[in-house]
Amino acid sequence: MASPKLTPLGIAVLELLHEGPMHPYEMAQLMRERYVHMRVNVKAGSLYHTVERLCRDGLIEVVDTQRDGRRPERTVYGMTQTGLDEFTQRGRELLGDLATEFPAFLSGLGVIDELGRDTSLIELEHRITRLRAAVAGDDAVLQRLAEDETPAIYWLDWRYQCDHRKFELQWTERLHDDLRSGRISFQDTEQPKLTLITREDDDERKTS
């Protein structure tokens, strides 16, 4: 029986356990330090749920328990050979295969003409403001990573996100300018209004 496909959070957990056994609290700390939340949706409780599922599927196993003073006992997990095989296979698929994705922004672009010029320009301005703030934040993190001399191989995912956000900002700014200047024009076509056909109208057509 084939094991369930690894989720992005499951991949992130196995990625950490590839470095060595650790408990979920340590995983959560490392995920925060490495900005894993930029590529994986980590919600409260989801990490522990994922760890339990990976253990149930035989991809990880309990290797130790630790107690520090009066603190609750912590369970340390390690990756099994089955987990390593699944991690490697899924990693190859994620890196080499092309996956069809459906960003919400594309749906927004699809309804610009229906929203009209004024509304569309306002919302694009909002998006541009948020993107500029995000890009500034990205640059600060990138600078800190460089100063810490963190090996570049460990933050390729972050660099991709930053470059993608910069591209989106430039593209959105250009779109806003094209719409504002009229280089891309709104159609302003009014949809024909539908009216009910009355019995009198129907009788008139029949006798005309």
Side-chain angles (χ1 to χ4, degrees):
M1 178 179 177
S3 60
K5 180 173 287 189
L6 286 170
T7 64
L9 184 52
I11 281 284
V13 169
L14 293 180
E15 177 187 343
L16 293 177
L17 294 182
H18 198 276
E19 301 175 17
M22 61 184 71
H23 49 75
Y25 181 75
E26 185 180 3
M27 296 178 198
Q29 285 183 310
L30 286 173
M31 286 184 180
R32 283 193 295 269
E33 292 174 6
R34 299 178 184 182
Y35 302 97
V36 173
H37 65 280
M38 295 302 299
R39 58 182 167 92
V40 177
N41 186 15
V42 184
K43 296 181 179 179
S46 59
L47 175 60
Y48 289 88
H49 175 75
T50 296
V51 168
E52 291 174 359
R53 183 176 56 79
L54 292 173
C55 192
R56 186 171 62 249
D57 293 340
L59 304 184
I60 65 175
E61 62 185 358
V62 177
V63 297
D64 193 14
T65 54
Q66 299 175 350
R67 182 180 292 278
D68 184 8
R70 296 183 177 180
R71 293 181 178 178
E73 190 175 74
R74 290 176 175 172
T75 304
V76 179
Y77 295 89
M79 184 160 46
T80 64
Q81 183 61 49
T82 300
L84 178 59
D85 293 342
E86 290 289 330
F87 171 77
T88 302
Q89 177 60 33
R90 185 62 182 143
R92 293 180 64 176
E93 294 171 357
L94 291 170
L95 192 61
D97 293 351
L98 289 178
T100 302
E101 300 177 3
F102 303 94
F105 187 38
L106 297 184
S107 296
L109 293 174
V111 300
I112 276 184
D113 196 42
E114 286 74 15
L115 292 177
R117 183 180 188 278
D118 293 343
T119 298
S120 295
L121 289 177
I122 289 173
E123 293 306 325
L124 287 174
E125 287 167 6
H126 291 166
R127 189 179 193 90
I128 288 170
T129 298
R130 296 177 180 122
L131 283 170
R132 286 174 178 168
V135 167
D138 291 345
D139 290 340
V141 173
L142 288 172
Q143 182 177 352
R144 185 160 62 249
L145 288 169
E147 292 172 352
D148 293 343
E149 298 183 351
T150 304
I153 193 70
Y154 292 138
W155 41 285
L156 292 175
D157 53 341
W158 181 259
R159 286 175 57 188
Y160 175 85
Q161 286 273 26
C162 294
D163 287 345
H164 186 276
R165 205 162 3 245
K166 284 182 178 179
F167 166 78
E168 184 181 339
L169 172 59
Q170 294 168 358
W171 193 92
T172 306
E173 288 175 330
R174 189 164 61 248
L175 172 63
H176 180 273
D177 191 51
D178 286 342
L179 293 172
R180 182 180 55 80
S181 66
R183 284 190 295 270
I184 296 179
S185 59
F186 288 84
Q187 295 304 295
D188 293 328
T189 54
E190 293 187 3
Q191 296 295 326
K193 296 181 179 179
L194 300 179
T195 58
L196 293 175
I197 298 177
T198 65
R199 185 178 186 85
E200 291 77 9
D201 292 333
D202 190 43
D203 291 339
E204 184 179 348
R205 280 201 301 270
K206 290 179 180 179
T207 57
S208 60

